[in-house]
Amino acid sequence: MKLKNIILLGTIAVAGLASCSDEMDYKEYSNYDKDYVFNNFDNVVGFVTNIYSYLDYDYGFSGNGMLASACDEAEYSWRSGAINNFTNGSLSANNAPSEFGFYGGIREANFFLANYQNSDFSEYKLNKDYANQMARFNRLPYEARFLRAYFYFKLVSYYGDVPYYTKVLSTDETNALGRTPAKAVLDSVVQEMDAVIPHLPVSYATLENDAAAGETGRVTRLAALALKARALLYEASPLFNTSNDKELYHKAALASKAVIDSCEAYDHFLGNYTDLWGTDNWQADEVILARRIGDLNSLEKANYPRGLENANGGNCPTQTLVDAYDMKSTGKAWDEEGSGFDPEHPYNDRDPRLAQTIAVNGEKNWPSYNGTALETYYGGANGEPLTGATPTGYYLKKLLDGSVNITSATSNSKRHSWVIFRLGEFYLDYAEAAFRYLGGADATSPDLTMTPREALNMTRTRANMPEFPEGMSNDTFWKNYEKERMVELAFEDHRYFDIRRWKEGPQHANIVEMKITKNSDGSFTYTRQNVKRTWNDKLYFLPIPHSEMMKHTNADFKQNPGY
C-alpha cells in the first residue's frame, strides 16, 4: 500500500540538522511506501522531521488576520478581512478557519509509531556511526509522541471535545469516531509528557555519541515540561474545569514551577524582551521551543503601516491594549490617580514594552528605512481615510523585523521563527495557578514557595517596571495579572485563548480605538472611541467545519453549540 493512502502526505522532510545548520531543511519526497521510509536512517529521520511541519504559527490565522484581531488585542484594518467574522457576529461552520489540519500531523505520528519498530538497519551495523544513528533513532518515537500530544492540545483549545485516536485508522474508521471529552484528551496530553520527558535531551548541543548532536529545532525535555504545564493550566481553567476543582490549579502550579526550576538549572533565563523576535530569536536564552519558518517578508508586507510602498496596515493594536501598559515612573495605570499620565503626550513615560510592541503617531524610523515620522492622525500619510489605514491609531511592531525592506526596488527577506514556549509564559502561568489554588497574592505553601505576586513581578521587573506591592486585594491582583499577561504575551496567541478559558468573553468583547486629529499649531488631540463588538457564548469554541461534519457517520458527532 502506498504511503499516501494511509496518511496525509505533503512533503517528507529530510532533516539537515547538522551542527553547522540552524534550521530544518525540507526536501520533497512523494508516493513512497513504508518499506522505503523505514529502510535507512535518513528517510526515517526525515519522516519525523516532516511531522514538525504541522506545528502552528500565527502570521495570519485567517488570511492575513491574526488571532489578535479576533480578540481585543488588535483590529484588522481591512473590513472585508475574514478575521472580522470573529467580532461581527457572522462566524459559522461555513466560514470559520479549519484547524483540522492538525490531524495530518496526528496521522503521520500514528503511522510512524505503528511501524518504526519494524525498521531493520542490520546492514548498517558495521558502519562506524551505527551506534550514534541508533541513539537518535531510538529517541524519534518520543519526539513523535510529543508532537501528537501538542496537536491534540491545540485541537482541544479550538474545539473542546475532539475525535481522539492513537492508531492507524482507515478513512471509514476515522469518520465513524465520536468526540472524546476535552478533559480526557488533556489528561492524555499530560500522561504522554510524563512518559516522554525522561527520554528527551535537555539540549542537543550537549549530546555525546548521538547522531543528533548539535541539531536545533527539535523538542527537548523542557518543551515537554512546558506542554504539560500549559495543558494543566487550561484544564484547570473555568472553560474546562466546570466543577471548580482547585486541585487542578495545584497541579498546574507545580507543573509551571517545574518548568521554571528546570530553566534555572539549564541556563534558560529572562533576557531582553526584544530578543523574542528578529532573525536570531530562536537562540534567545528564554526560548524553550520555536518553529523555524524561514526567510520571508510577507509578515511585514501584511502589517507595515499603510501609506508605505507595498504595506497593508493589517493587525492594528487597539487602544484597549495600549491602556494595559502602565506608567513607568509610578507603576500605576494610566487612569489611576497620581499616575503622572499626560493626555497631550499619552505615550511618554510608559512601560517600555509599549514602544517595543506598538508603533504610534509620530514614530520615527519604523520600519528602519522609513525616514518620515508616522502620521496616524486623520488625514495623515498613514491614517484614515486612506483605505486600509489603521482604525485604532496604531500599527504593529512586535514580531516584525524592522530591517525588512518591502519596497519594490530594494526588497529583502529575513529569517522568522515563531516562539511556541518561552520562560516568561510560565512565570505568569505559575502566578495564575498558584493564586487560584492558594487564594491570595502573597500566599505560599510548602511546595509552592514563590508567591503569585513574586512570580508576576518577574516579567514586570525584566521590563524595568516597578514591582507590584505586597498586600494587594484579590480583585486588584487579578486585574493587574490580566494586564501584565496581556502586555507581556501580546501577539503571541495567548490573549484569544485566555479570554475563552477564563470564560470572560463578554467582559473583553468590546474595544477602544484612538482617533487622532492634528491641530493648527501642530499639536494633536487624542480622542478615545468605544467600539462595540458582537459576543456570543458560542465563540468559546470554533465551529466544526461543515466539510468535516458532512464526513462523519457517527450519530453522536455533534456540532459545537450555537453554530
Side-chain angles (χ1 to χ4, degrees):
M1 181 180 291
K2 293 295 185 182
L3 185 61
K4 67 178 182 179
N5 294 324
I6 302 173
I7 60 172
L8 287 180
L9 180 61
T11 58
I12 296 180
V14 176
L17 298 177
S19 59
C20 61
S21 175
D22 59 16
E23 62 183 294
M24 293 186 178
D25 178 23
Y26 295 101
K27 299 179 181 178
E28 288 196 3
Y29 280 59
S30 63
N31 297 337
Y32 290 113
D33 61 25
K34 62 184 179 183
D35 291 334
Y36 177 86
V37 172
F38 294 102
N39 78 348
N40 68 60
F41 290 117
D42 284 344
N43 288 354
V44 76
V45 171
F47 186 89
V48 174
T49 298
N50 189 61
I51 304 175
Y52 281 83
S53 72
Y54 289 89
L55 288 172
D56 56 320
Y57 62 96
D58 186 7
Y59 288 168
F61 175 74
S62 181
N64 287 323
M66 299 175 176
L67 275 176
S69 293
C71 64
D72 59 352
E73 279 183 313
E75 184 174 1
Y76 195 61
S77 65
W78 295 88
R79 301 301 181 189
S80 60
I83 197 68
N84 294 320
N85 292 330
F86 283 79
T87 59
N88 62 19
S90 61
L91 191 71
S92 74
N94 292 316
N95 64 22
S98 174
E99 293 304 295
F100 269 59
F102 285 118
Y103 278 110
I106 289 168
R107 282 188 285 269
E108 291 197 15
N110 286 343
F111 177 83
F112 174 79
L113 292 167
N115 290 283
Y116 81 94
Q117 290 178 322
N118 297 324
S119 300
D120 182 7
F121 302 129
S122 57
E123 63 181 285
Y124 301 105
K125 281 187 175 180
L126 297 180
N127 291 6
K128 63 180 181 180
D129 67 341
Y130 177 78
N132 289 359
Q133 291 285 3
M134 287 301 298
R136 176 170 63 177
F137 172 79
N138 289 331
R139 188 171 49 253
L140 293 178
Y142 303 103
E143 294 182 47
R145 290 172 69 177
F146 170 94
L147 292 166
R148 181 177 64 186
Y150 178 83
F151 301 145
Y152 273 123
F153 169 77
K154 294 299 294 186
L155 285 163
V156 166
S157 302
Y158 283 113
Y159 297 106
D161 303 348
V162 293
Y164 180 84
Y165 59 101
T166 58
K167 298 179 180 179
V168 175
L169 301 180
S170 69
T171 299
D172 288 343
E173 288 172 325
T174 303
N175 291 340
L177 293 171
R179 296 176 66 181
T180 300
K183 177 174 171 47
V185 180
L186 291 172
D187 283 341
S188 76
V189 170
V190 172
Q191 291 163 8
E192 280 287 85
M193 292 308 95
D194 284 340
V196 306
I197 284 168
H199 302 280
L200 293 172
V202 172
S203 170
Y204 290 83
T206 58
L207 287 179
E208 296 180 358
N209 303 317
D210 193 303
E215 291 182 352
T216 64
R218 294 193 179 276
V219 296
T220 62
R221 190 175 304 170
L222 287 173
L225 287 168
L227 177 55
K228 175 183 176 178
R230 190 186 289 179
L232 282 168
L233 181 63
Y234 274 55
E235 186 174 355
S237 300
L239 183 62
F240 300 105
N241 184 11
T242 55
S243 64
N244 193 28
D245 180 359
K246 288 195 173 182
E247 182 57 26
L248 292 176
Y249 281 116
H250 187 201
K251 292 178 180 178
L254 289 173
S256 288
K257 182 177 185 296
V259 176
I260 294 167
D261 291 347
S262 296
C263 283
E264 182 177 348
Y266 299 122
D267 294 325
H268 285 262
F269 53 88
L270 298 178
N272 295 323
Y273 188 61
T274 52
D275 288 346
L276 296 171
W277 61 97
T279 303
D280 297 320
N281 67 325
W282 60 277
Q283 298 185 84
D285 292 307
E286 181 178 347
V287 172
I288 295 171
L289 179 65
R291 175 178 173 167
R292 221 74 54 75
I293 300 166
D295 290 355
L296 55 83
N297 62 17
S298 56
L299 178 66
E300 286 71 26
K301 284 183 177 179
N303 293 282
Y304 272 175
R306 192 73 173 136
L308 300 182
E309 183 183 354
N310 296 323
N312 285 292
N315 301 274
C316 301
T318 60
Q319 183 63 41
T320 308
L321 174 59
V322 172
D323 287 345
Y325 294 86
D326 289 337
M327 305 303 295
K328 188 176 188 302
S329 295
T330 63
K332 295 184 176 183
W334 70 276
D335 58 350
E336 190 175 350
E337 184 177 353
S339 69
F341 176 73
D342 180 356
E344 294 185 3
H345 302 92
Y347 314 118
N348 288 357
D349 192 37
R350 301 295 287 269
D351 184 322
R353 289 170 293 185
L354 191 158
Q356 294 162 348
T357 303
I358 299 169
V360 304
N361 183 53
E363 181 116 5
K364 297 179 180 179
N365 301 118
W366 181 254
S368 59
Y369 63 85
N370 179 29
T372 305
L374 292 183
E375 299 177 351
T376 66
Y377 56 85
Y378 190 87
N382 313 105
E384 297 176 317
L386 178 66
T387 302
T390 172
T392 65
Y394 306 104
Y395 287 104
L396 179 62
K397 290 176 68 177
K398 186 176 177 180
L399 304 185
L400 279 59
D401 188 331
S403 68
V404 169
N405 190 315
I406 63 171
T407 60
S408 299
T410 56
S411 66
N412 65 346
S413 297
K414 295 290 182 70
R415 181 193 303 145
H416 290 65
S417 301
W418 175 261
V419 175
I420 297 174
F421 297 117
R422 64 179 179 90
L423 175 57
E425 173 195 343
F426 296 97
Y427 281 114
L428 296 170
D429 289 358
Y430 175 92
E432 178 179 340
F435 172 72
R436 291 303 189 195
Y437 175 66
L438 298 171
D442 298 308
T444 61
S445 68
D447 56 359
L448 300 173
T449 55
M450 179 168 52
T451 70
R453 182 188 61 85
E454 289 170 338
L456 184 59
N457 277 331
M458 291 300 295
T459 55
R460 179 103 163 165
T461 55
R462 183 260 290 276
N464 295 315
M465 287 293 291
E467 293 188 0
F468 291 119
E470 293 185 51
M472 289 186 289
S473 69
N474 284 359
D475 286 346
T476 299
F477 175 85
W478 186 251
K479 180 180 179 181
N480 285 329
Y481 173 78
E482 285 199 349
K483 285 198 306 177
E484 179 62 22
R485 189 175 180 93
M486 189 180 193
V487 164
E488 174 69 19
L489 301 178
F491 293 91
E492 295 182 40
D493 268 11
H494 289 279
R495 180 69 174 177
Y496 172 90
F497 294 107
D498 287 344
I499 289 170
R500 284 156 174 76
R501 66 182 179 81
W502 294 331
K503 296 204 75 174
E504 293 185 359
Q507 297 97 302
H508 302 294
N510 301 328
I511 62 169
V512 181
E513 300 171 339
M514 180 58 75
K515 300 302 181 183
I516 309 170
T517 55
K518 186 174 184 178
N519 304 316
S520 58
D521 63 357
S523 63
F524 297 96
T525 298
Y526 298 88
T527 304
R528 301 166 63 84
Q529 178 170 296
N530 296 321
V531 177
K532 185 174 178 57
R533 285 176 163 180
T534 300
W535 176 265
N536 186 301
D537 283 353
K538 70 179 184 179
L539 294 172
Y540 283 121
F541 293 116
L542 285 181
I544 303 294
H546 179 70
S547 59
E548 294 294 332
M549 292 299 301
M550 294 298 290
K551 296 175 185 176
H552 283 268
T553 58
N554 189 320
D556 293 328
F557 193 92
K558 304 293 186 182
Q559 179 60 271
N560 276 331
Y563 294 105

